[in-house]
Amino acid sequence: MAAERHGGRGGAEESKENKENERPAGPRDGGLSDSLGLESILRSGGGEAERAEGRGGPGPAGRGYCSRRLRRLRKTLNFKMGNRHKFTGKKVTEEILSDNRYLLLILMDAERAWSYAMQLKQEANTEPRKRFHLLSRLRKAVKHAEELERLCESNRVDAKTKLEAQAYMAYLTGMLRFEHQEWKAAMEAFNKCKTIYEKLANAFTEEQAVLYNQRVEEISPNIRYCAYNIGDQSAMNELMQMRLRSGGTEGLLAEKLEALITQTRAKQAATMSEVEWRGRTVPVKIDKVRIFLLGLADNEAAIVQAENEETRERLFESLLSECRDAIQAVREDLKPDQKQREHSLENDSGKVSNIQYLHSYLTYIKLSTAVKRNESMAKSLQKALLQQQRSEEDGKRTARPQDLIRLYDIILQNLVELTQLPGLEEDKNFQKEIGLKTLVYKAYRCFFIAQSYVLVKKWSEALVLYERVLKYAGQVQSGAGAFTNSLKELPDVQDLITQVNAEKYSLQAAAILDANDNHETESPSQVKDGKPLSERFEIFCLDPSLVSKQVSLVHFPPGFQPIPCKPLFFDLALNHVAFPPLEDKVEQKAKSGLTGYIKGIFGFKS
């Protein structure tokens, strides 16, 4: 009936909860010989497993789920807290512990308090006073967890549930100590929880092991964070590597870890006062720029060590975002310093100011990182092109040369912007280095344009582009002498030359075969002259368009045809005709004067 009252999604959820609240099959007496226990505290509670099902977890949704389930459990067990007019507190004791649903009562109380605490934690970012309420709800959750652990010590509860209750108690205790910044106590609690869950994961099925391993992964960053605050410097390196590998941390630790990394770099940045680039040393006074430059080497190392393309792409985006923030901080200092920079340009004969040179350095880092990111994406697409046959068989979307052309267009645009950086216009070595890199990427861009022409059988255009690729590659090899080290990171030009030579021979063979095929298949009976069907009834011609929707039967609209126009008549005799006089036929003009005027007034006529 309850499901019928609520209906829809709420009714289905209530029906499912009612099934969960039903007493399990077995002896109804609940004697001492019965073994009580929960299927899994992680699955029965409102934690990660419930959040995955959209019913529980932190926030109002999880809190509401726990409250509704508590109400139904109490109603099912007839474990009411007084009546409508008076509240009478009741506790679950070992004497009445005859059903595992009594354990669920305590678990739901703890989960409800924990869900509310997580909701308050999000709200405390804008309302700091709610942090006191947050700590209060966490203490309440720990209190219920202690009661659950005490009840599970009974001989009626199975060993698995006892271990899970101990781990659950240790987890909530660690969370409370973590919020109180009692690092040693929090670390001990988290280690106890981690040990129990690891042993449970090894002892049970894979399905249950997934839940245990998820909780272990969740608390591992917390343990390292506590170790760092206690004084273990190696834990900081592990935390930063974890953050870089995952592209960001989630959960309780996220904000504190970001603050910790910023704080650590800020301490190191206090000793950093200048940076040297291309033979010029400039002071760095902006803290955000110092922090970014200190973490640049770690970020680049993490990108190189990335395990897969997705992780590498996420790390590139994170690095570019930090670089843009640093550039924005420098740009804000550039605005009020505009007049001073103009005066500096006049006195130093075109030499840019230190802050402008620092801006150019950061822009160089941003553009170089963008080039590396696009090059990494291009390598992935090239691998996909090599596996194109297999992808077509699988029915997936295949990579196309046009996708690579777009990436190389963006790379070339970034290189153009590099040559225009203030302070580097007169640096001939820099300009030549960027010019060589431009030739390398132009060669690859021409190669893939030629590949796209091959796909549509435009052999002559593709052959011309292959020759252009060899021209660019030859220019790179002839001018690479002093820049060999800087060109090592770029794609190998010699491999490209070898590939182009092979493609040229294949192209010439394909063009000859295609020409022969066209010559053999072409016959007079298949040649269309564009005439409609009404004009070629006497000629047999195979025209596939006759069975299509755009069949050509007649010319429509029809063309114009010449027709005789209406004749024009000209009266040439009129000028030579003499007409008879008509004066005697015309009436005499009325008399004028006073008499005629008077007669006209009175209406008399002559």
Side-chain angles (χ1 to χ4, degrees):
M1 295 297 293
E4 293 177 0
R5 277 200 308 271
H6 290 276
R9 180 180 176 182
E13 178 182 328
E14 187 172 348
S15 175
K16 190 171 184 178
E17 291 175 2
N18 286 334
K19 292 181 180 179
E20 294 172 349
N21 298 336
E22 291 176 359
R23 183 169 180 167
R28 302 186 60 86
D29 296 333
L32 293 176
S33 61
D34 294 339
S35 179
L36 301 179
L38 300 175
E39 179 184 357
S40 173
I41 288 181
L42 291 179
R43 189 183 298 277
S44 301
E48 296 292 336
E50 297 298 337
R51 189 186 310 135
E53 295 179 12
R55 295 183 294 166
R63 185 175 157 208
Y65 166 75
C66 295
S67 298
R68 292 191 301 273
R69 194 169 183 189
L70 267 174
R71 183 172 64 252
R72 293 184 178 89
L73 282 170
R74 287 171 181 159
K75 182 177 181 181
T76 305
L77 295 170
N78 198 23
F79 193 78
K80 298 181 180 179
M81 300 290 191
N83 52 36
R84 185 176 300 178
H85 305 288
K86 182 180 179 181
F87 173 79
T88 303
K90 295 174 64 176
K91 292 185 178 181
V92 179
T93 60
E94 187 176 350
E95 289 74 17
I96 65 172
L97 193 62
S98 59
D99 196 319
N100 58 6
R101 288 175 290 183
Y102 286 106
L103 298 178
L104 274 178
L105 278 174
I106 311 300
L107 178 60
M108 288 298 106
D109 277 327
E111 284 292 326
R112 180 171 61 175
W114 177 79
S115 298
Y116 194 15
M118 295 300 101
Q119 176 187 346
L120 292 169
K121 181 174 179 60
Q122 296 175 357
E123 297 174 357
N125 294 329
T126 55
E127 302 177 60
R129 291 288 302 174
K130 290 194 174 182
R131 177 170 174 77
F132 297 102
H133 196 183
L134 156 68
L135 297 175
S136 173
R137 300 315 301 174
L138 276 179
R139 282 192 292 268
K140 176 70 75 173
V142 171
K143 180 180 178 182
H144 289 303
E146 288 177 351
E147 186 178 356
L148 177 63
E149 184 183 12
R150 179 182 57 81
L151 288 173
C152 288
E153 291 175 356
S154 170
N155 295 329
R156 305 182 183 185
V157 181
D158 58 19
K160 174 174 170 290
T161 304
K162 288 181 180 180
L163 286 174
E164 285 197 353
Q166 293 175 11
Y168 186 69
M169 169 63 187
Y171 174 75
L172 291 182
T173 302
M175 298 281 279
L176 177 61
R177 299 305 177 192
F178 193 92
E179 287 296 328
H180 279 293
Q181 298 185 3
E182 298 175 4
W183 309 119
K184 188 173 182 179
M187 185 176 176
E188 291 175 356
F190 283 136
N191 278 327
K192 179 181 177 181
C193 176
K194 181 180 178 182
T195 302
I196 295 174
Y197 280 132
E198 285 177 344
K199 291 181 178 180
L200 288 171
N202 294 330
F204 292 96
T205 61
E206 292 184 1
E207 181 182 0
Q208 292 174 322
V210 170
L211 297 176
Y212 298 138
N213 290 327
Q214 284 179 354
R215 181 55 60 90
V216 170
E217 292 176 1
E218 179 186 346
I219 64 178
S220 293
N222 297 33
I223 295 174
R224 293 185 177 90
Y225 186 82
C226 294
Y228 172 78
N229 283 280
I230 291 173
D232 186 359
Q233 294 297 327
S234 62
M236 178 59 188
N237 296 329
E238 294 179 4
L239 283 171
M240 294 184 67
Q241 290 299 324
M242 181 182 299
R243 170 183 172 270
L244 291 171
R245 284 195 301 270
S246 63
T249 309
E250 299 179 355
L252 175 67
L253 192 64
E255 298 176 3
K256 294 193 175 184
L257 181 56
E258 292 294 336
L260 171 64
I261 293 173
T262 304
Q263 180 182 359
T264 305
R265 288 179 179 171
K267 291 179 181 178
Q268 298 174 356
T271 60
M272 179 184 181
S273 58
E274 57 187 22
V275 63
E276 182 179 357
W277 182 54
R278 304 199 68 83
R280 179 174 174 179
T281 302
V282 294
V284 182
K285 301 178 181 179
I286 305 173
D287 292 336
K288 184 176 288 187
V289 178
R290 290 178 179 176
I291 293 171
F292 167 72
L293 293 177
L294 283 172
L296 179 61
D298 294 334
N299 290 333
E300 291 178 345
I303 290 173
V304 173
Q305 299 171 3
E307 299 176 354
N308 51 55
E309 295 297 332
E310 183 179 356
T311 303
R312 186 179 293 109
E313 178 68 19
R314 189 164 58 244
L315 291 175
F316 270 124
E317 290 297 332
S318 176
L319 178 57
L320 287 172
S321 177
E322 293 178 8
C323 187
R324 283 191 288 265
D325 293 340
I327 291 174
Q328 182 61 32
V330 175
R331 191 174 292 136
E332 291 175 358
D333 280 7
L334 275 173
K335 293 178 182 178
D337 199 35
Q338 183 70 28
K339 294 182 180 180
Q340 184 177 356
R341 287 192 296 107
E342 293 175 357
H343 182 66
S344 177
L345 285 171
E346 296 175 0
N347 294 340
D348 297 342
S349 302
K351 184 179 180 181
V352 298
S353 62
N354 288 332
I355 188 70
Q356 180 64 49
Y357 196 77
L358 179 62
H359 183 271
S360 297
Y361 176 46
L362 294 175
T363 306
Y364 169 80
I365 294 174
K366 185 189 75 170
L367 294 175
S368 300
T369 304
V371 169
K372 292 177 182 178
R373 181 194 62 179
N374 291 324
E375 185 182 344
S376 175
M377 295 171 63
K379 289 180 180 178
S380 301
L381 285 175
Q382 289 180 33
K383 293 179 182 178
L385 278 175
L386 294 176
Q387 300 174 352
Q388 185 171 3
Q389 179 113 16
R390 189 191 316 168
S391 299
E392 288 177 354
E393 292 175 358
D394 295 342
K396 298 179 182 177
R397 182 186 180 274
T398 58
R400 302 176 301 168
Q402 290 84 344
D403 301 331
L404 284 160
I405 294 170
R406 174 58 181 163
L407 287 176
Y408 284 113
D409 282 336
I410 298 174
I411 290 175
L412 291 173
Q413 180 61 36
N414 291 333
L415 292 175
V416 171
E417 294 179 15
L418 281 174
T419 60
Q420 299 172 354
L421 290 177
L424 299 175
E425 299 91 341
E426 304 300 328
D427 192 338
K428 295 182 180 179
N429 290 333
F430 178 79
Q431 297 292 337
K432 189 172 182 181
E433 179 183 344
I434 299 301
L436 288 174
K437 291 182 178 180
T438 302
L439 289 175
V440 172
Y441 290 116
K442 276 186 176 181
Y444 273 89
R445 178 175 174 273
C446 282
F447 175 76
F448 289 109
I449 293 176
Q451 292 280 62
S452 65
Y453 277 121
V454 169
L455 293 178
V456 294
K457 297 183 179 182
K458 293 186 177 181
W459 314 115
S460 57
E461 291 87 344
L463 187 60
V464 171
L465 286 169
Y466 281 143
E467 295 294 340
R468 181 65 63 86
V469 172
L470 295 177
K471 175 185 174 183
Y472 286 144
Q475 292 178 359
V476 172
Q477 289 182 334
S478 61
F483 303 96
T484 305
N485 293 331
S486 61
L487 297 179
K488 283 183 179 180
E489 299 178 356
L490 300 181
D492 192 357
V493 178
Q494 186 59 43
D495 292 343
L496 181 62
I497 293 175
T498 305
Q499 188 175 0
V500 167
N501 288 328
E503 292 289 342
K504 281 177 61 179
Y505 299 135
S506 300
L507 173 65
Q508 292 171 356
I512 294 173
L513 292 174
D514 185 60
N516 292 336
D517 291 342
N518 290 338
H519 180 71
E520 292 174 1
T521 56
E522 186 174 325
S523 62
S525 62
Q526 292 178 326
V527 176
K528 294 193 301 180
D529 53 5
K531 293 182 179 180
L533 182 63
S534 60
E535 297 181 6
R536 49 183 172 86
F537 285 131
E538 297 82 6
I539 302 174
F540 176 76
C541 180
L542 295 177
D543 189 358
S545 65
L546 293 177
V547 292
S548 65
K549 293 183 179 180
Q550 297 180 353
V551 58
S552 177
L553 299 178
V554 295
H555 285 298
F556 186 83
F560 291 100
Q561 295 181 357
I563 59 173
C565 62
K566 183 178 181 180
L568 298 177
F569 296 95
F570 296 94
D571 192 357
L572 301 179
L574 180 63
N575 296 329
H576 303 282
V577 174
F579 293 97
L582 301 175
E583 288 80 0
D584 54 340
K585 304 285 186 180
V586 179
E587 294 183 358
Q588 293 290 333
K589 188 177 180 182
K591 294 181 180 181
S592 60
L594 180 60
T595 306
Y597 176 74
I598 294 173
K599 290 182 178 180
I601 292 175
F602 293 100
F604 296 105
K605 295 182 180 179
S606 58

